[in-house]
Amino acid sequence: MDFRLTVDQQLLAESVREFLTDTYGPEVLRRLDAGETRDPAIWDGLVQMGLTGLLVPEDQGGLGMSLIEAAAIARECGRVCLAEPLVDTGFVAVPWLADKGETEMLAQIAAGERRIALSHAINPWVADGEGEALESVDPLRQLFAAPEDATDDPLLLDLAALMSAAQLIGLAEAMLDQATEYAKVRRQFGQAIGGFQAVKHQLADCAVAIEFATPVVWRAAEALQQRRDSASVHVSHAKLAATDAAIATAETAIQVHGAMGYTYEVDLHFWMKRSWALSGAWGDRAFHYRRIEDAVIGGTLTIGPEH
């Protein structure tokens, strides 16, 4: 099967990338970090672009698109390290509520009038909720203690893990771009460090990891959109591949930047911390590895060429 994005899907993602790049950048992240971490004007811009209603049916005021388009845009949200809860509300809560038949809130979400704080038993926190505030490794995430009655619905877990994987791909791409650009200007021994084979190989390894993880995410989005029996396994595969690519790229980008890579003065730290946060959200690496192991080795999923 061909798991590349179609031309129309690519054009949609590119238009969103252009919008986010023009309105969102390191200077915005620093401003949010120094203030309230949320800006109503940014949210209004996302609403006007129709992104909050991307998955909302047309008769409810949305665009009626699929999880594949949503994953492509979640990737762009990761690329700019978006702080606003667009992905959680628009790309996770909307399809989950629709699947449960709870459609009365969808029009409000599409209009940007309502945001949903997702609570699941696998997480000890709720993002953009209320209650006891918690510290996060990512300064732009607003976390609160999870309620005791949090759901354990596997569909919610799969939707959120998928969209986390898509964001991790975008985060990895952004960190690779930052490291590559810095390698062109940082000089040692009379030349740019990007000219050293060791640095080239490290950056190339990151590019390969991202390239291999990306179609895995699209495959998972298609499987979950079609509610295939194998969807959970594909989602776990995507979360693993995207996590590994993002963490490896973060480590390489830090090394390329030298000791200053860890400091606040370098923009990289926003993307790095978001990668750390999402890598453990909605199931850590061990959890998703076990799901794949149970399916492939444990026999919970029928495998073979005919399947």
Side-chain angles (χ1 to χ4, degrees), residues 50-121:
L51 299 181
T52 52
L54 188 81
L55 298 184
V56 175
E58 293 183 33
D59 60 4
Q60 296 275 353
L63 300 179
M65 294 191 178
S66 76
L67 291 176
I68 300 174
E69 286 86 7
I73 294 176
R75 172 191 185 183
E76 301 305 326
C77 294
R79 192 189 296 272
V80 298
C81 204
L82 185 71
E84 281 64 36
L86 170 66
V87 175
D88 283 357
T89 292
F91 304 165
V92 179
V94 165
W96 182 59
L97 291 170
D99 185 81
K100 303 303 176 187
E102 299 179 12
T103 59
E104 66 277 359
M105 291 183 286
L106 298 187
Q108 292 178 303
I109 293 174
E113 299 168 355
R114 185 157 191 166
R115 308 180 195 189
I116 305 297
L118 302 172
S119 175
H120 193 279

Side-chain angles (χ1 to χ4, degrees), residues 1-305:
M1 297 179 68
D2 187 348
F3 294 112
R4 293 175 296 181
L5 296 179
T6 67
V7 173
D8 288 343
Q9 290 166 341
Q10 291 176 22
L11 290 174
L12 173 64
E14 288 170 4
S15 68
V16 174
R17 178 184 303 184
E18 182 178 346
F19 167 75
L20 291 175
T21 301
D22 289 344
T23 59
Y24 217 85
E27 69 286 352
V28 174
L29 296 175
R30 291 183 179 278
R31 174 171 61 81
L32 294 176
D33 185 27
E36 296 296 324
T37 74
R38 298 291 182 270
D39 184 343
I42 294 176
W43 183 257
D44 289 343
L46 299 173
V47 174
Q48 292 172 13
M49 275 286 291
L51 299 181
T52 52
L54 188 81
L55 298 184
V56 175
E58 293 183 33
D59 60 4
Q60 296 275 353
L63 300 179
M65 294 191 178
S66 76
L67 291 176
I68 300 174
E69 286 86 7
I73 294 176
R75 172 191 185 183
E76 301 305 326
C77 294
R79 192 189 296 272
V80 298
C81 204
L82 185 71
E84 281 64 36
L86 170 66
V87 175
D88 283 357
T89 292
F91 304 165
V92 179
V94 165
W96 182 59
L97 291 170
D99 185 81
K100 303 303 176 187
E102 299 179 12
T103 59
E104 66 277 359
M105 291 183 286
L106 298 187
Q108 292 178 303
I109 293 174
E113 299 168 355
R114 185 157 191 166
R115 308 180 195 189
I116 305 297
L118 302 172
S119 175
H120 193 279
I122 201 168
N123 296 322
W125 45 260
V126 177
D128 290 275
E130 57 184 20
E132 178 188 354
L134 302 176
E135 292 291 332
S136 172
V137 66
D138 180 354
L140 298 181
R141 298 181 86 210
Q142 296 181 351
L143 301 185
F144 300 87
E148 295 181 358
D149 60 348
T151 181
D152 60 355
D153 191 315
L155 176 59
L156 177 58
L157 171 60
D158 282 341
L159 287 166
L162 167 65
M163 295 304 164
S164 294
Q167 290 177 84
L168 284 163
I169 293 294
L171 288 160
E173 290 173 329
M175 291 186 291
L176 179 59
D177 288 345
Q178 292 174 46
T180 301
E181 290 304 312
Y182 187 72
K184 296 176 183 178
V185 298
R186 180 185 173 195
R187 302 181 66 83
Q188 283 189 350
F189 307 109
Q191 71 175 89
I193 64 171
F196 299 137
Q197 286 294 325
V199 175
K200 288 182 179 180
H201 290 168
Q202 282 185 300
L203 295 174
D205 286 345
C206 294
V208 170
I210 295 169
E211 189 71 17
F212 273 78
T214 301
V216 176
V217 174
W218 306 152
R219 165 65 178 272
E222 186 275 340
L224 195 53
Q225 175 67 34
Q226 301 299 329
R227 298 296 191 267
R228 301 187 188 281
D229 293 340
S230 58
S232 292
V233 177
H234 296 313
V235 167
S236 285
H237 183 193
K239 185 64 160 49
L240 278 173
T243 293
D244 288 353
I247 295 302
T249 304
E251 292 174 352
T252 296
I254 291 172
Q255 292 173 349
V256 170
H257 280 79
M260 64 184 293
Y262 278 105
T263 66
Y264 185 82
E265 284 68 25
V266 177
D267 295 334
L268 172 69
H269 82 279
F270 286 108
W271 284 262
M272 175 182 66
K273 290 176 179 177
R274 180 67 56 82
S275 297
W276 290 347
L278 290 183
S279 66
W282 304 101
D284 58 14
R285 196 178 190 284
F287 171 83
H288 289 288
Y289 189 89
R290 283 196 302 272
R291 286 219 298 185
I292 295 177
E293 184 180 53
D294 289 342
V296 177
I297 300 177
T300 62
L301 178 68
T302 304
I303 61 176

